[in-house]
Amino acid sequence: MASVPSLASTLQQQLADALTAALPDAGTADPLLRRSDRADFQANGILALAKKLKGNPRELASQVTAALPAGDLIKDIEVSGPGFLNITLTDRAIVETLAARAADGDRLGVPPKAAPGTTVIDYAQPNVAKEMHVGHLRSAVIGDAMVQILEFTGENVVRRHHIGDWGTQFGMLIQYLFEHPDELRHEGDQADGEAAMSSLNRVYKASRVLFDSDEEFKARSRDRVVALQAGDPETLAHWQRFVDESKIYFYSVFDKLDMEIDDPDIVGESGYNDMLEETCRILEETGVAVRSEGALCVFFDDVKGPDGNPVPLIVKKTNGGYGYAATDLSAIRDRVRNLKADTLLYVVDARQSLHFKMVFETARRAGWLNDDVKAHQLAFGTVLGKDGKPFKTREGTTVRLEDLLDEAVERATAVVREKAEKVGLSEEEIVENGRYVGVGAVKYADLSTSAVRDYKFDLDQMVSLNGDTSVYLQYAYARIRSILRKAGDAKPAAHPELDLAPAERALGLHLDQFGAVLEEVAEGYEPHKLAAYLYQLASHLTTFYDQCQVLSDENPAEVVENRLFLVELTARTLHQGMKLLGIRTPERL
């Protein structure tokens, strides 16, 4: 595993050293290096230094330029405007750095974190005995991408799926199952996801009708809630049947999403039952929570209702029942104390932001969160229809997640089939690629949008070969793989001695930014920045194809090899970047 410094970081260090050498009175100074349209990079830090030192910025810039070491990194440097440095790198430096990245396998020269911590990510939170709908999509897709990205950086990641598997509604369901024990049985030992959800829906609807029409059944259901909360073994066994049946369904949906969910990662609301009373006791004894009208509450100076009165976080209700806050606070205690987490990341709908703000502040007051242990909500917006309103079916009901994914795969398969004869795909490849393109389209549309923003769900645009779509990126990858197959005896090989064409330079400089982008994405929990980087990479590749023929008998062998080297590294970067977003890259498309 080789850590390869980016060209920007190497240049940044050389400029910082030159600033210190030329302007010792300036102390530690930032060159303020950034990419530029006028050259490869521009350094703007000297203007601020000139004001601090009361000197002429252009003269200071010349002194810094003179202090830069001679070497293979900088080809040209000019002073422009009020002391800006326009810097062009050598072609040799670009190719040699890329060659070092290419030699580092799947990591592509990206170093793991020097001091990794432990992050618990709470994402993909379906509810037992209920269908997953479009509202569950973003938590699952964004959370899974952040898991992959953080693990790639070397972070120790613990997945947690906080499923809704507890509460008063289970009294009704369990009581109905006691009285109709065969309702969750299937022919044979196994059930598929559709059959599992069908039986769960049947039980829910039948028990709801009975609950609303039969007072005696309603009373028995309420008694069953008490038995569930008291840990009655027979009641718990029936509750477990609902959980197990729901997992069959969950796993079938996650499989369609091409996501891996493991049993040990599922710790629902029920997993913290034994901690609830102790959590409340600690909060009350330490004065973090107080009694108000019989309920245990936490108050905040900056959280008030429309009437101006404080709105509390209710930890324990007047009737002795526990609110969501008690479970969330107990989960924080467990994750910090038992999982040794130093970061808690919650991928949760932005509409729950106030709840989590209050929960996190309560945990800080209690000492469970502090300077060493932090919690962050990765809030996400709503999935909208083409009309800009929350995504619904024509009947006005919430769209089932399975239906949405099935339609995306169907549309994508049709697109793949149109191109299949030209590429020579078999029926098996058409079906497989249709799934990868369809699911990839849904994920990319989500991940290419800043999480906190709403986005419009438009399948026609998502499966388009043009524009900022996953299909465009997948096609770019498949096109490179086709070129590499056609190359025959010509093999990718870096040639630092060659001069690069403008499109080759642009592609190379962008490839070199992969590690820096991943670092920014991981630190800010912003997967849309990785999606943007990959789209720009594919765009640079398109320009490169237009301006630089890869396989040509007219080109010297070393030019062919160098261009094959550039496109192969582009393919590997696209493949790794898409993999971190949870999206497959078919070899032929």
PDB file of all heavy atoms in Angstrom, residues 133-151:
ATOM      1  N   HIS A 133     -41.372   2.123   1.568  1.00  0.00           N
ATOM      2  CA  HIS A 133     -41.848   2.994   0.503  1.00  0.00           C
ATOM      3  C   HIS A 133     -40.725   3.931   0.070  1.00  0.00           C
ATOM      4  O   HIS A 133     -39.585   3.838   0.553  1.00  0.00           O
ATOM      5  CB  HIS A 133     -43.086   3.773   0.956  1.00  0.00           C
ATOM      6  CG  HIS A 133     -42.889   4.526   2.238  1.00  0.00           C
ATOM      7  ND1 HIS A 133     -42.192   5.715   2.329  1.00  0.00           N
ATOM      8  CD2 HIS A 133     -43.300   4.247   3.499  1.00  0.00           C
ATOM      9  CE1 HIS A 133     -42.187   6.137   3.561  1.00  0.00           C
ATOM     10  NE2 HIS A 133     -42.838   5.276   4.316  1.00  0.00           N
ATOM     11  N   VAL A 134     -41.042   4.846  -0.835  1.00  0.00           N
ATOM     12  CA  VAL A 134     -40.019   5.718  -1.402  1.00  0.00           C
ATOM     13  C   VAL A 134     -39.319   6.553  -0.326  1.00  0.00           C
ATOM     14  O   VAL A 134     -38.156   6.931  -0.476  1.00  0.00           O
ATOM     15  CB  VAL A 134     -40.637   6.629  -2.496  1.00  0.00           C
ATOM     16  CG1 VAL A 134     -41.599   7.642  -1.891  1.00  0.00           C
ATOM     17  CG2 VAL A 134     -39.562   7.351  -3.283  1.00  0.00           C
ATOM     18  N   GLY A 135     -40.004   6.806   0.788  1.00  0.00           N
ATOM     19  CA  GLY A 135     -39.402   7.561   1.881  1.00  0.00           C
ATOM     20  C   GLY A 135     -38.240   6.844   2.551  1.00  0.00           C
ATOM     21  O   GLY A 135     -37.441   7.468   3.259  1.00  0.00           O
ATOM     22  N   HIS A 136     -38.131   5.517   2.353  1.00  0.00           N
ATOM     23  CA  HIS A 136     -37.028   4.752   2.933  1.00  0.00           C
ATOM     24  C   HIS A 136     -35.787   4.737   2.028  1.00  0.00           C
ATOM     25  O   HIS A 136     -34.738   4.256   2.434  1.00  0.00           O
ATOM     26  CB  HIS A 136     -37.465   3.298   3.184  1.00  0.00           C
ATOM     27  CG  HIS A 136     -38.475   3.156   4.280  1.00  0.00           C
ATOM     28  ND1 HIS A 136     -39.792   2.841   4.037  1.00  0.00           N
ATOM     29  CD2 HIS A 136     -38.359   3.290   5.620  1.00  0.00           C
ATOM     30  CE1 HIS A 136     -40.444   2.785   5.182  1.00  0.00           C
ATOM     31  NE2 HIS A 136     -39.596   3.054   6.159  1.00  0.00           N
ATOM     32  N   LEU A 137     -35.937   5.237   0.804  1.00  0.00           N
ATOM     33  CA  LEU A 137     -34.867   5.110  -0.187  1.00  0.00           C
ATOM     34  C   LEU A 137     -33.606   5.869   0.217  1.00  0.00           C
ATOM     35  O   LEU A 137     -32.502   5.313   0.208  1.00  0.00           O
ATOM     36  CB  LEU A 137     -35.368   5.620  -1.541  1.00  0.00           C
ATOM     37  CG  LEU A 137     -34.350   5.644  -2.677  1.00  0.00           C
ATOM     38  CD1 LEU A 137     -33.945   4.220  -3.042  1.00  0.00           C
ATOM     39  CD2 LEU A 137     -34.921   6.365  -3.900  1.00  0.00           C
ATOM     40  N   ARG A 138     -33.741   7.130   0.581  1.00  0.00           N
ATOM     41  CA  ARG A 138     -32.570   7.982   0.749  1.00  0.00           C
ATOM     42  C   ARG A 138     -31.707   7.553   1.942  1.00  0.00           C
ATOM     43  O   ARG A 138     -30.475   7.571   1.858  1.00  0.00           O
ATOM     44  CB  ARG A 138     -32.983   9.450   0.875  1.00  0.00           C
ATOM     45  CG  ARG A 138     -33.776   9.970  -0.314  1.00  0.00           C
ATOM     46  CD  ARG A 138     -33.645  11.470  -0.481  1.00  0.00           C
ATOM     47  NE  ARG A 138     -32.316  11.841  -0.952  1.00  0.00           N
ATOM     48  CZ  ARG A 138     -31.893  13.088  -1.077  1.00  0.00           C
ATOM     49  NH1 ARG A 138     -32.690  14.090  -0.742  1.00  0.00           N
ATOM     50  NH2 ARG A 138     -30.675  13.358  -1.515  1.00  0.00           N
ATOM     51  N   SER A 139     -32.333   7.184   3.058  1.00  0.00           N
ATOM     52  CA  SER A 139     -31.552   6.756   4.215  1.00  0.00           C
ATOM     53  C   SER A 139     -30.696   5.550   3.867  1.00  0.00           C
ATOM     54  O   SER A 139     -29.522   5.474   4.229  1.00  0.00           O
ATOM     55  CB  SER A 139     -32.471   6.413   5.392  1.00  0.00           C
ATOM     56  OG  SER A 139     -31.715   5.957   6.501  1.00  0.00           O
ATOM     57  N   ALA A 140     -31.294   4.605   3.119  1.00  0.00           N
ATOM     58  CA  ALA A 140     -30.564   3.388   2.751  1.00  0.00           C
ATOM     59  C   ALA A 140     -29.424   3.694   1.782  1.00  0.00           C
ATOM     60  O   ALA A 140     -28.278   3.268   1.992  1.00  0.00           O
ATOM     61  CB  ALA A 140     -31.529   2.379   2.121  1.00  0.00           C
ATOM     62  N   VAL A 141     -29.693   4.465   0.733  1.00  0.00           N
ATOM     63  CA  VAL A 141     -28.706   4.718  -0.318  1.00  0.00           C
ATOM     64  C   VAL A 141     -27.569   5.609   0.180  1.00  0.00           C
ATOM     65  O   VAL A 141     -26.383   5.312  -0.021  1.00  0.00           O
ATOM     66  CB  VAL A 141     -29.395   5.351  -1.548  1.00  0.00           C
ATOM     67  CG1 VAL A 141     -28.378   5.856  -2.544  1.00  0.00           C
ATOM     68  CG2 VAL A 141     -30.313   4.330  -2.213  1.00  0.00           C
ATOM     69  N   ILE A 142     -27.922   6.707   0.862  1.00  0.00           N
ATOM     70  CA  ILE A 142     -26.897   7.627   1.375  1.00  0.00           C
ATOM     71  C   ILE A 142     -26.080   6.947   2.467  1.00  0.00           C
ATOM     72  O   ILE A 142     -24.849   7.050   2.498  1.00  0.00           O
ATOM     73  CB  ILE A 142     -27.542   8.924   1.904  1.00  0.00           C
ATOM     74  CG1 ILE A 142     -28.228   9.683   0.770  1.00  0.00           C
ATOM     75  CG2 ILE A 142     -26.501   9.818   2.575  1.00  0.00           C
ATOM     76  CD1 ILE A 142     -29.113  10.836   1.229  1.00  0.00           C
ATOM     77  N   GLY A 143     -26.765   6.235   3.356  1.00  0.00           N
ATOM     78  CA  GLY A 143     -26.057   5.552   4.444  1.00  0.00           C
ATOM     79  C   GLY A 143     -25.088   4.505   3.942  1.00  0.00           C
ATOM     80  O   GLY A 143     -23.945   4.425   4.405  1.00  0.00           O
ATOM     81  N   ASP A 144     -25.523   3.710   2.963  1.00  0.00           N
ATOM     82  CA  ASP A 144     -24.653   2.660   2.427  1.00  0.00           C
ATOM     83  C   ASP A 144     -23.420   3.266   1.759  1.00  0.00           C
ATOM     84  O   ASP A 144     -22.304   2.749   1.899  1.00  0.00           O
ATOM     85  CB  ASP A 144     -25.430   1.802   1.430  1.00  0.00           C
ATOM     86  CG  ASP A 144     -24.632   0.604   0.943  1.00  0.00           C
ATOM     87  OD1 ASP A 144     -24.200  -0.205   1.786  1.00  0.00           O
ATOM     88  OD2 ASP A 144     -24.416   0.489  -0.272  1.00  0.00           O
ATOM     89  N   ALA A 145     -23.601   4.372   1.024  1.00  0.00           N
ATOM     90  CA  ALA A 145     -22.462   5.032   0.381  1.00  0.00           C
ATOM     91  C   ALA A 145     -21.475   5.544   1.425  1.00  0.00           C
ATOM     92  O   ALA A 145     -20.256   5.384   1.277  1.00  0.00           O
ATOM     93  CB  ALA A 145     -22.943   6.181  -0.504  1.00  0.00           C
ATOM     94  N   MET A 146     -21.976   6.137   2.503  1.00  0.00           N
ATOM     95  CA  MET A 146     -21.078   6.657   3.538  1.00  0.00           C
ATOM     96  C   MET A 146     -20.336   5.527   4.249  1.00  0.00           C
ATOM     97  O   MET A 146     -19.179   5.676   4.627  1.00  0.00           O
ATOM     98  CB  MET A 146     -21.847   7.503   4.552  1.00  0.00           C
ATOM     99  CG  MET A 146     -22.220   8.900   4.063  1.00  0.00           C
ATOM    100  SD  MET A 146     -20.882   9.831   3.240  1.00  0.00           S
ATOM    101  CE  MET A 146     -19.541   9.705   4.427  1.00  0.00           C
ATOM    102  N   VAL A 147     -20.985   4.379   4.411  1.00  0.00           N
ATOM    103  CA  VAL A 147     -20.298   3.210   4.987  1.00  0.00           C
ATOM    104  C   VAL A 147     -19.107   2.832   4.113  1.00  0.00           C
ATOM    105  O   VAL A 147     -17.982   2.653   4.594  1.00  0.00           O
ATOM    106  CB  VAL A 147     -21.270   2.008   5.119  1.00  0.00           C
ATOM    107  CG1 VAL A 147     -20.490   0.724   5.392  1.00  0.00           C
ATOM    108  CG2 VAL A 147     -22.271   2.242   6.246  1.00  0.00           C
ATOM    109  N   GLN A 148     -19.355   2.705   2.792  1.00  0.00           N
ATOM    110  CA  GLN A 148     -18.288   2.292   1.876  1.00  0.00           C
ATOM    111  C   GLN A 148     -17.150   3.319   1.859  1.00  0.00           C
ATOM    112  O   GLN A 148     -15.965   2.965   1.879  1.00  0.00           O
ATOM    113  CB  GLN A 148     -18.844   2.139   0.449  1.00  0.00           C
ATOM    114  CG  GLN A 148     -20.047   1.224   0.306  1.00  0.00           C
ATOM    115  CD  GLN A 148     -19.823  -0.174   0.833  1.00  0.00           C
ATOM    116  OE1 GLN A 148     -18.721  -0.709   0.755  1.00  0.00           O
ATOM    117  NE2 GLN A 148     -20.868  -0.772   1.398  1.00  0.00           N
ATOM    118  N   ILE A 149     -17.509   4.597   1.800  1.00  0.00           N
ATOM    119  CA  ILE A 149     -16.501   5.663   1.707  1.00  0.00           C
ATOM    120  C   ILE A 149     -15.658   5.720   2.978  1.00  0.00           C
ATOM    121  O   ILE A 149     -14.423   5.789   2.921  1.00  0.00           O
ATOM    122  CB  ILE A 149     -17.182   7.019   1.427  1.00  0.00           C
ATOM    123  CG1 ILE A 149     -17.759   7.027   0.010  1.00  0.00           C
ATOM    124  CG2 ILE A 149     -16.200   8.176   1.611  1.00  0.00           C
ATOM    125  CD1 ILE A 149     -18.775   8.136  -0.247  1.00  0.00           C
ATOM    126  N   LEU A 150     -16.307   5.698   4.137  1.00  0.00           N
ATOM    127  CA  LEU A 150     -15.564   5.789   5.400  1.00  0.00           C
ATOM    128  C   LEU A 150     -14.679   4.560   5.610  1.00  0.00           C
ATOM    129  O   LEU A 150     -13.547   4.677   6.084  1.00  0.00           O
ATOM    130  CB  LEU A 150     -16.531   5.961   6.576  1.00  0.00           C
ATOM    131  CG  LEU A 150     -17.204   7.332   6.668  1.00  0.00           C
ATOM    132  CD1 LEU A 150     -18.240   7.348   7.792  1.00  0.00           C
ATOM    133  CD2 LEU A 150     -16.170   8.434   6.912  1.00  0.00           C
ATOM    134  N   GLU A 151     -15.183   3.384   5.250  1.00  0.00           N
ATOM    135  CA  GLU A 151     -14.348   2.180   5.379  1.00  0.00           C
ATOM    136  C   GLU A 151     -13.135   2.264   4.462  1.00  0.00           C
ATOM    137  O   GLU A 151     -12.042   1.836   4.832  1.00  0.00           O
ATOM    138  CB  GLU A 151     -15.178   0.923   5.080  1.00  0.00           C
ATOM    139  CG  GLU A 151     -16.124   0.558   6.205  1.00  0.00           C
ATOM    140  CD  GLU A 151     -16.808  -0.784   6.010  1.00  0.00           C
ATOM    141  OE1 GLU A 151     -16.945  -1.228   4.844  1.00  0.00           O
ATOM    142  OE2 GLU A 151     -17.211  -1.386   7.010  1.00  0.00           O
TER     143      GLU A 151
END
